[in-house]
Each structure stands twice: as C-alpha cells, then as structure tokens.
C-alpha cells in the first residue's frame, strides 16, 4: 500500500485530494474520465499525495461503473509509468510471455514454457506467489533446492540467449501503480473487477515488453472470475487492451471447475510437471497445455497451421526435448539438477491420509476452492501475509469429474507435515460429490482467441 508522504506541501496534497474527489464524483455519475485525471490520480497515490481511503473509493467506483477502452488504456499506461521496463527487443528475436489468471493445480506455465522453448521460441515469464486458494508459480519453483528466481534484467537477457526461457519473480519495480493499488484492492473487495484486473495484468505485461502474449483465462468455481460469460468478457477486454499497446495477443478460456491435474501443492506440482514432460498422462493437462503452446508458436509464426504446431509440440514432449529444456533452464538458475533427475528427492510429507469414497457412483464435483484451501491449511499456501510454506505438503487428487468410483476407493490423498490437517481432511472429504448417474467430464477449453484473429 502506498504511504502518505510527509514531504509534500499542504497545497500539493489539497490539489491531489480535490482532483481525486472530483474524479470519484464524475465516475459515479457515469462520465468518461479525462486521461490527465487518470494519470494524475495514479501518480498522486504512488507518490503518497493521496491516502488509502480516497484511492479505495476511486477504485470501488471504477469497479462499479467500469471503464471504456480509452480510459483503460490510460490507467494501464499510468500503472507502468515511472517503473522498470525490460528491453527484450535488444535480443533480436521473438520473445513471448504467457499469463494465467490462476487456479488450483495450475502448473501450465511450468509445462508450456519448456515445450515452447524446445520448439525454438523464447519465453520470458514473470510470475507471482499464491493468492488465497490458488497456488503461485514462484512458490512452486521454490520447492526446488538451489533455484534462484529473483533475477534482474541482465540475468534475464542472458538466460533467454543461453536456454531460450526464464521464469523469474515479479520485480516490485515493474508497474509500480499496479503494485500499490493491487495491495489496496486486496483488502477493499475490489480484486474481482474486470477493468481493474485487465489493467493490472496487462500493465505488467507491457513493462516486461515481450513481443507477444498468450492469456489463459480460467473459468469455473476455482477461478478468479467463475462465471463463464464474465470470464469471456475479461479475456476480450485484455485482448483489446494488450493490442492497444502493440502486443500480439491470443487467449484461451479454460476450465477451472475442478483442480487441474492430480497434484495441488508446491513440490507435488513440480513432480507432476516433470512426469508430464517425461510423457506421463495427466488428466486435463495435455488439453490445456497443447492449446496454449500452439497459440504461442503461432504468435511467433502466423503461417504455422494447427496441425504443424501440434506435431512440433508432441515431438518436443515425446522426444524428451521439453523435459531436457526444463532441466537445463532450472539448472541455469541454480537448481540442483540431480534432484530434478530424481524428483523423489524433492520435499515430501511425513504423513499421507487417504480420502475414501463412502459409496459407489460417478464423481460429479471436485470443489476446487475446498481442495485449494485444504492444501493451504497444511502449509502449501499462506493464511497470513508472508507466512513460510511447507513445500512438501498438498493434495493428490486421484478422481476427477466423470470418473467411476467404487465404495472404499481413494478419491484423494492429503500430504502433510503439520498445519490443521483435521480441517484439511474435512474440507477434502466434503469437496467430492458422487452421483448415481454417469457424469460427463467438463470440457477443458471453452474458447480460443487466436493471436492474429479478431477479438470476437
Ligand atoms: N492477477 C493480477 O495480476 N492482477 C489482478 O488484478 C488479478 C489477478
């Protein structure tokens, strides 16, 4: 949260205060905000001339009344302004970025980046930590002994040249307006707003400066925006916004109505990523990852048809190149390669409790938020800001929606070393619904927006 600075004169603060009040009233009455006001308000907040309560009211008014594309473009640009920017253009090659709106068991970035890099297209990914029930890529990677994720621009350029990919933690200096307002949104109920999410995500992508971007917008009970048509609106808003900044941008609307794959939790997800890259089948993961990898390859080469892209992706996995690329990249960032070659050496759990089906039938629901929170309660995620994680804990989901199960069969396992495992077992037990009738597995991909196609 931005702190009010005592360095400003009373006149500066009074001017900032009257500007933001006028802007709140104008937006409440449905006006389009002038570009200079949007920039001024964000700059005043970042530089401590406006207090949290006024900024919270401004953001809440936007969350209620919305922004048009011109306003959204100004807000995004204002977030980026005054912050660090990468200059990936100096590498003289196409460098792509991928972003997911997050979910439970979402290890797609860990899978897609090495596949695409193994196909010869560079990927730079700045990732975040877990938020609430949803895990974060940086927390997952920190389960790997030795890995360094807090890298600066020169390391990023060197990694792209050497191994064609990098995943690093988000620099707080990138898009400072987003950093300051995101922390405030988090405690004022204004995270779930389409224009505010769009400006927040796209501002960080603009600051990273990749030539192309592919967005994985999740929909379903475990997603930031559960409703499918609202999630579609978010995807379309971000596509339009990213294109305003000259980014080639594609998107996928993908399913988050149940956990993705079997592993939920940090080291468990790294283990599942490595097995998947060695060719093991993981429920839902191939459908999600292959479409995103295809869009990334086509972003780099618009002439590449679906069949050729899919063949390159399948070859990179089946031939072991994607797995090898993950190991090369992670070792280049300090990871202990011997551990990645023997994933059983990654952090684990002392205790494993099976969650047993009490009747036969078909699984009709695996509530993703309950599964995510079960893993949080045993230390795979945070209940308090900056709390340390237990990288070995989490949930292993054995049965997904549509599976036939028999009474006494293991539906899931809770892996834990500590934490509130009784609460976690209770959440997990109630996460599963079993129906007497056969149930269709949900479709994984609801919509594809090609990088070079129209928005709708
Ligand atoms: N992720 C972001 O980076 N910003 C949001 O507003 C929501 C999710």
């Amino acid at each position: 949260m931005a702190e009010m600075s005592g360095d400003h004169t009373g006149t500066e603060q009074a001017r900032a205060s009257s500007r933001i009040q006028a802007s709140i009233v104008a937006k409440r009455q449905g006006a389009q905000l002038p570009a200079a006001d949007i920039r001024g308000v964000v700059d005043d907040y970042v530089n401590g001339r406006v207090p949290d309560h006024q900024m919270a009211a401004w953001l809440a008014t936007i969350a209620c009344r919305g922004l048009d594309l011109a306003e959204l473009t100004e807000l995004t640009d204002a977030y980026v302004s005054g912050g660090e920017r990468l200059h990936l253009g100096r590498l003289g090659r196409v460098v792509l970025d991928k972003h997911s709106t997050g979910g439970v068991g979402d290890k797609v970035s860990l899978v897609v980046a090495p596949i695409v890099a193994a196909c010869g297209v560079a990927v730079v990914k700045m990732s975040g930590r877990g938020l609430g029930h949803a895990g974060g890529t940086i927390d997952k990677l920190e389960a790997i002994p030795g890995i360094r994720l807090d890298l600066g621009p020169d390391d990023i350029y060197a990694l792209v040249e050497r191994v064609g990919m990098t995943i690093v933690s988000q620099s707080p200096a990138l898009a400072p307006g987003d950093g300051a307002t995101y922390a405030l949104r988090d405690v004022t109920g204004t995270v779930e707003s389409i224009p505010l999410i769009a400006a927040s995500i796209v501002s960080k992508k603009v600051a990273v400066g990749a030539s192309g971007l592919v967005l994985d917008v999740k929909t379903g009970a475990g997603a930031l925006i559960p409703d499918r048509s609202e999630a579609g609106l978010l995807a379309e808003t971000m596509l339009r916004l990213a294109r305003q900044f000259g980014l080639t941008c594609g998107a996928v609307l993908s399913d988050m109505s149940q956990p993705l794959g079997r592993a939920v939790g940090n080291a468990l997800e790294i283990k599942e990523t490595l097995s998947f890259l060695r060719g093991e089948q993981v429920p839902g993961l191939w459908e999600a990852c292959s479409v995103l990898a295809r869009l990334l390859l086509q972003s780099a080469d618009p002439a590449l048809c679906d069949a050729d892209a899919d063949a390159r992706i399948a070859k990179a996995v089946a031939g072991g190149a994607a797995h090898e690329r993950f190991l090369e990249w992670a070792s280049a960032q300090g990871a202990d390669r011997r551990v990645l070659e023997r994933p059983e050496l990654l952090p684990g759990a002392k205790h494993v409790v099976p969650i047993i089906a009490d009747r036969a039938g078909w699984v009709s629901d695996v509530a993703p938020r309950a599964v995510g929170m079960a893993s949080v309660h045993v230390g795979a995620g945070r209940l308090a800001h900056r709390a340390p994680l237990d990288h070995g804990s989490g949930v292993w989901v054995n049965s997904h929606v549509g599976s036939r199960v028999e009474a006494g069969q293991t539906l899931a396992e809770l892996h834990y070393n500590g934490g509130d495992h009784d609460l976690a077992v209770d959440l997990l037990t109630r996460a599963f619904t079993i129906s007497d009738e056969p149930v269709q597995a949900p479709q994984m991909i609801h919509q594809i927006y090609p990088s070079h196609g129209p928005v709708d």
Side-chain angles (χ1 to χ4, degrees):
M1 223 166 288
E3 280 192 16
M4 281 292 278
S5 162
D7 297 343
H8 302 297
T9 62
T11 319
E12 282 174 325
Q13 282 178 351
R15 198 174 293 144
S17 176
S18 75
R19 169 159 48 199
I20 193 168
Q21 287 186 57
S23 189
I24 291 167
V25 173
K27 182 44 67 185
R28 197 181 66 223
Q29 292 172 343
Q32 187 196 47
L33 298 180
D37 284 5
I38 294 175
R39 293 180 165 281
V41 166
V42 173
D43 187 58
D44 285 339
Y45 183 60
V46 169
N47 291 298
R49 290 184 291 270
V50 149
D52 287 348
H53 62 268
Q54 284 185 315
M55 194 62 181
W58 192 73
L59 292 167
T61 312
I62 288 175
C64 294
R65 302 294 294 196
L67 294 176
D68 68 16
L69 188 58
E71 293 172 302
L72 200 46
T73 307
E74 287 304 331
L75 180 64
T76 307
D77 208 36
Y79 280 173
V80 178
S81 167
E84 260 178 20
R85 293 181 85 136
L86 290 187
H87 298 284
L88 296 171
R90 74 155 72 143
L91 297 173
R93 60 188 287 187
V94 171
V95 182
L96 302 178
D97 193 350
K98 176 246 161 216
H99 184 88
S100 161
T101 56
V104 179
D106 181 5
K107 67 276 300 170
V108 172
S109 294
L110 298 172
V111 169
V112 164
I115 293 178
V116 171
C119 292
V121 175
V123 180
V124 167
K125 174 93 192 77
M126 284 204 175
S127 294
R129 297 194 178 277
L131 212 55
H133 68 284
T137 300
I138 294 301
D139 292 334
K140 295 172 199 192
L141 286 170
E142 283 180 351
I144 305 174
I147 198 158
R148 280 177 291 109
L149 298 161
D150 184 13
L151 303 181
D154 289 340
D155 290 323
I156 293 174
Y157 304 142
L159 281 156
V160 171
E161 279 178 338
R162 197 168 140 207
V163 286
M165 67 171 277
T166 182
I167 304 179
V168 297
S169 51
Q170 196 91 53
S171 157
L174 214 66
D178 172 58
T181 50
Y182 191 84
L184 186 60
R185 286 169 56 211
D186 203 23
V187 293
T188 54
T190 46
V191 169
E192 286 92 352
S193 149
I194 289 175
L196 296 178
I197 295 171
S200 165
I201 291 176
V202 174
S203 65
K204 287 174 285 212
K205 303 294 149 190
V206 170
V208 167
S211 34
L213 165 67
V214 173
L215 300 162
D216 182 9
V217 179
K218 305 286 190 193
T219 169
L224 186 61
I225 304 280
D227 179 77
R228 193 180 306 169
S229 62
E230 288 283 297
L233 204 57
L234 174 61
E236 289 166 18
T237 304
M238 289 198 286
L239 277 169
R240 290 197 181 93
L241 186 57
R243 290 177 184 186
Q244 286 291 107
F245 288 90
L247 280 166
T248 303
C249 186
V252 168
L253 203 58
S254 72
D255 187 70
M256 186 39 70
S257 63
Q258 62 175 337
L260 180 55
R262 296 192 184 98
V264 179
N266 305 299
L268 288 173
E269 292 192 44
I270 299 292
K271 288 176 191 170
E272 185 166 65
T273 297
L274 291 165
S275 330
F276 180 83
L277 290 173
R278 282 195 307 264
E280 192 181 294
Q281 296 293 315
V282 175
L285 205 53
W286 180 255
E287 292 91 313
C289 293
S290 57
V291 171
L292 284 155
R294 188 205 298 156
L295 287 188
L296 284 160
L297 294 183
Q298 290 175 331
S299 172
D301 176 3
L304 188 67
C305 68
D306 288 359
D308 288 352
D310 291 349
R312 285 173 63 184
I313 293 161
K315 186 166 166 227
V317 176
H323 181 259
E324 178 52 28
R325 187 60 62 113
F326 186 103
L327 266 56
E328 270 177 35
W329 153 70
S331 330
Q333 283 187 211
D336 184 340
R337 188 176 166 116
R338 287 165 312 165
V339 174
L340 297 173
E341 284 167 349
R342 294 183 54 206
E344 67 277 12
L345 298 178
L346 284 161
K350 290 198 206 87
H351 310 283
V352 176
V353 180
I355 307 299
I356 304 291
D358 57 3
R359 53 188 288 233
W362 285 265
V363 176
S364 60
D365 190 25
V366 185
R369 282 177 191 257
V371 174
M373 285 316 293
S375 76
V376 168
H377 282 291
V378 290
R382 293 180 188 80
L383 287 165
H385 191 46
R386 297 211 179 124
L389 296 184
D390 175 355
H391 287 106
S393 66
V395 176
W396 192 259
V397 180
N398 295 64
S399 303
H400 287 81
V401 173
S403 324
R404 167 79 198 174
V405 293
E406 303 304 329
Q409 190 172 325
T410 300
L411 298 171
E413 292 166 351
L414 178 73
H415 292 230
Y416 73 93
N417 295 302
D420 192 345
H421 53 270
D422 288 336
L423 175 57
V425 166
D426 187 45
L427 281 166
L428 268 185
T429 307
R430 286 191 284 122
F432 285 85
T433 308
I434 297 176
S435 143
D436 292 332
E437 305 296 328
V439 176
Q440 279 267 310
Q443 205 178 316
M444 175 52 69
I445 301 298
H446 297 295
Q447 185 139 1
I448 300 175
Y449 303 86
S451 298
H452 298 276
V455 170
D456 46 11

